[in-house]
Amino acid sequence: MADKICDHKSVGILVKKDGAILIIERKKFPAGFALPAGHLDGDSFQEAAERELKEETGIAAQKLEYLLGEELPNPCRRENGTYHQWQVFRAASWQGEIRPSRDETKSIEWAHRERIFNLGKRTETFAAKHKIPVTELSRLTTAFSEDPEWQSSPGFEPVWYYFLKNLNWG
């Protein structure tokens, strides 16, 4: 894939089932666990949410509900990717079998509250190790992605730590 220029617009999708949320571990920068997410690339926020959910998990959203939106200073691997205007949706209904993307997804799981909390604590611990407040998303993302210990056993990607905390952990 040729290097793309960041459009500064991203979506994330919260999928729930039996008291758990669907999370992925990213294969590419930024390192860590996250909800299925990605750039708009010319689509509307809702179209991008449907596309990214299908690409990263194999499931199709039948109905999306808007949860929240915010501009955050979080880097991505694309050129000029220093901030993003985010919109996060909940897949109110979906169908299909989970099939993680070979290119983008290292692992995928249904995470219950204890697992979500523990991944959040891991993010907080690494932030403290690097002496970076958890609110400094850009610095944290860069530091974590350069840390071999984080690479082998990550917590939540900083932007998803922020969003999930605001959503009371899903």
Side-chain angles (χ1 to χ4, degrees):
M1 175 173 102
D3 288 342
K4 292 184 179 180
I5 294 175
C6 183
D7 61 7
H8 304 288
K9 295 177 183 166
S10 292
V11 295
I13 308 92
L14 176 71
V15 182
K16 290 184 170 186
K17 176 183 166 185
D18 301 328
I21 64 171
L22 189 64
I23 61 173
I24 64 169
E25 183 179 358
R26 293 198 184 284
K27 220 178 227 188
K28 301 175 182 177
F29 180 91
F33 285 89
L35 298 186
H39 289 88
L40 267 57
D41 292 332
D43 289 334
S44 70
F45 281 97
Q46 187 158 338
E47 290 167 338
E50 291 169 355
R51 175 179 40 80
E52 289 294 337
L53 183 62
K54 185 76 170 166
E55 280 178 12
E56 293 184 359
T57 70
I59 62 175
Q62 294 177 303
K63 181 180 178 188
L64 291 172
E65 295 175 348
Y66 175 84
L67 291 177
L68 58 90
E70 188 169 345
E71 184 175 300
L72 295 173
N74 67 296
C76 70
R77 66 182 179 273
R78 293 182 177 189
E79 185 179 337
N80 293 331
T82 56
Y83 72 93
H84 294 86
Q85 178 63 46
W86 281 92
Q87 286 193 10
V88 179
F89 294 88
R90 180 176 76 88
S93 63
W94 52 273
Q95 66 180 15
E97 289 186 37
I98 294 182
R99 289 184 322 276
S101 164
R102 291 183 193 179
D103 295 333
E104 299 183 40
T105 308
K106 191 184 280 188
S107 67
I108 193 165
E109 67 183 271
W110 290 104
H112 287 273
R113 189 171 271 298
E114 183 177 353
R115 173 76 166 141
I116 296 163
F117 181 79
N118 288 337
L119 288 170
K121 283 295 180 194
R122 186 132 183 88
T123 301
E124 292 169 357
T125 300
F126 270 83
K129 171 188 169 188
H130 288 278
K131 297 180 171 71
I132 302 172
V134 292
T135 55
E136 292 189 25
L137 303 178
S138 187
R139 285 182 58 209
L140 271 183
T141 300
T142 302
F144 287 2
S145 291
E146 295 170 353
D147 185 310
E149 187 180 345
W150 179 263
Q151 297 291 323
S152 67
S153 184
F156 277 116
E157 176 188 326
V159 72
W160 286 107
Y161 171 88
Y162 174 84
F163 279 136
L164 287 168
K165 193 148 183 142
N166 285 337
L167 292 168
N168 293 317
W169 301 106

